[in-house]
């Protein structure tokens, strides 16, 4: 009897949390529809598609910066268009702190690209402001340099709080 009661308690211990999740899902989907969906469909509805649609991102983008840098923006779109889905997800994490785009009907944010205008930018990495969905992109001299710097940044700069880590390191140790 003890074993049965213990098993029953363990099986029911997460019931309040599961009920809260169900209530949240039913706010997104009419009641009863949740049971008709497969896991992948529910994931897509709740979290968006895992496939990053570069054209959808482009439709929700504004570019700011000095005139004469359209070639840098065009090169960025070519680079993004040639990236793997894994790198595109890393790019989104870098610029937005999330790895998926929302569904087109729920895409309300605007991706902002700022091109810096100073000279000799090839040695600098791009910078992102995830809270503002903004990419600060140096005016690179070529698409190849842009690709190399962007890939380095998205693959190695994965911690949104890295600026706090630098502040914690004593100046003498840097």
């Amino acid at each position: 009897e003890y074993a049965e009661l213990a098993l029953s308690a363990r099986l029911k211990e997460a019931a309040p949390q599961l009920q809260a999740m169900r209530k949240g899902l039913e706010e997104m989907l009419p009641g009863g529809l949740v049971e008709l969906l497969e896991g992948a469909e529910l994931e897509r509805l709740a979290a968006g598609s895992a496939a990053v649609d570069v054209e959808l991102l482009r439709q929700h983008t504004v570019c700011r910066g000095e005139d004469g840098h359209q070639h840098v923006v065009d090169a960025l779109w070519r680079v993004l268009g040639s990236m793997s889905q894994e790198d595109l997800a890393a790019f989104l994490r870098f610029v937005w702190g999330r790895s998926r785009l929302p569904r087109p009907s729920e895409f309300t944010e605007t991706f902002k690209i700022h091109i810096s205008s100073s000279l000799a930018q090839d040695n600098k990495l791009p910078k992102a402001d995830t809270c503002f969905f903004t990419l600060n992109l140096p005016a690179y001299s070529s698409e190849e340099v842009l690709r190399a710097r962007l890939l380095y940044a998205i693959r190695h700069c994965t911690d949104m709080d890295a600026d706090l880590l630098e502040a914690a390191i004593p100046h003498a140790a840097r």
Side-chain angles (χ1 to χ4, degrees):
E1 180 181 1
Y2 172 79
E4 289 176 14
L5 289 173
L7 178 61
S8 177
R10 289 289 291 172
L11 290 174
K12 294 177 183 174
E13 70 184 357
Q17 293 85 350
L18 292 172
Q19 186 58 36
M21 287 176 56
R22 182 178 192 83
K23 183 179 177 187
L25 286 171
E26 288 177 350
E27 287 180 12
M28 292 177 12
L29 303 166
L33 187 59
V34 171
E35 286 127 13
L36 299 175
L37 298 174
E38 293 181 3
E41 292 172 305
L42 184 58
E43 178 185 11
R44 186 180 51 75
L45 287 172
S49 173
V52 178
D53 182 347
V54 175
E55 188 54 39
L56 177 63
L57 179 61
R58 190 176 194 157
Q59 292 169 10
H60 292 271
T61 300
V62 295
C63 300
R64 298 189 177 127
E66 301 292 322
D67 291 335
H69 292 298
Q70 185 60 41
H71 67 284
V72 177
V73 175
D74 293 340
L76 173 65
W77 291 117
R78 285 190 299 274
V79 167
L80 291 175
S82 68
M83 281 185 179
S84 68
Q85 285 295 314
E86 182 179 346
D87 282 337
L88 287 170
F91 173 77
L92 284 180
R93 275 191 302 278
F94 180 72
V95 298
W96 205 4
R98 56 189 287 176
S99 61
R100 297 176 181 213
L101 292 175
R103 293 184 301 187
S105 62
E106 297 175 352
F107 203 139
T108 58
E109 298 291 326
T110 301
F111 175 44
K112 294 164 282 304
I113 301 171
H114 292 238
I115 306 295
S116 60
S117 62
S118 57
L119 301 174
Q121 295 288 306
D122 285 353
N123 62 341
K124 296 187 178 180
L125 290 173
K127 179 183 173 215
D129 295 311
T130 56
C131 292
F132 302 106
F133 196 16
T134 301
L135 176 66
N136 297 297
L137 193 63
Y140 293 119
S141 62
S142 71
E143 185 173 327
E144 293 74 26
V145 172
L146 188 154
R147 176 185 310 280
R149 299 299 179 267
L150 185 60
L151 286 173
Y152 183 88
I154 67 174
R155 291 174 179 169
H156 293 90
C157 304
T158 58
D159 191 349
M160 290 183 356
D161 297 322
D163 52 345
L164 298 176
L165 295 175
E166 184 177 328
I169 299 171
H171 186 68
R174 290 187 204 160

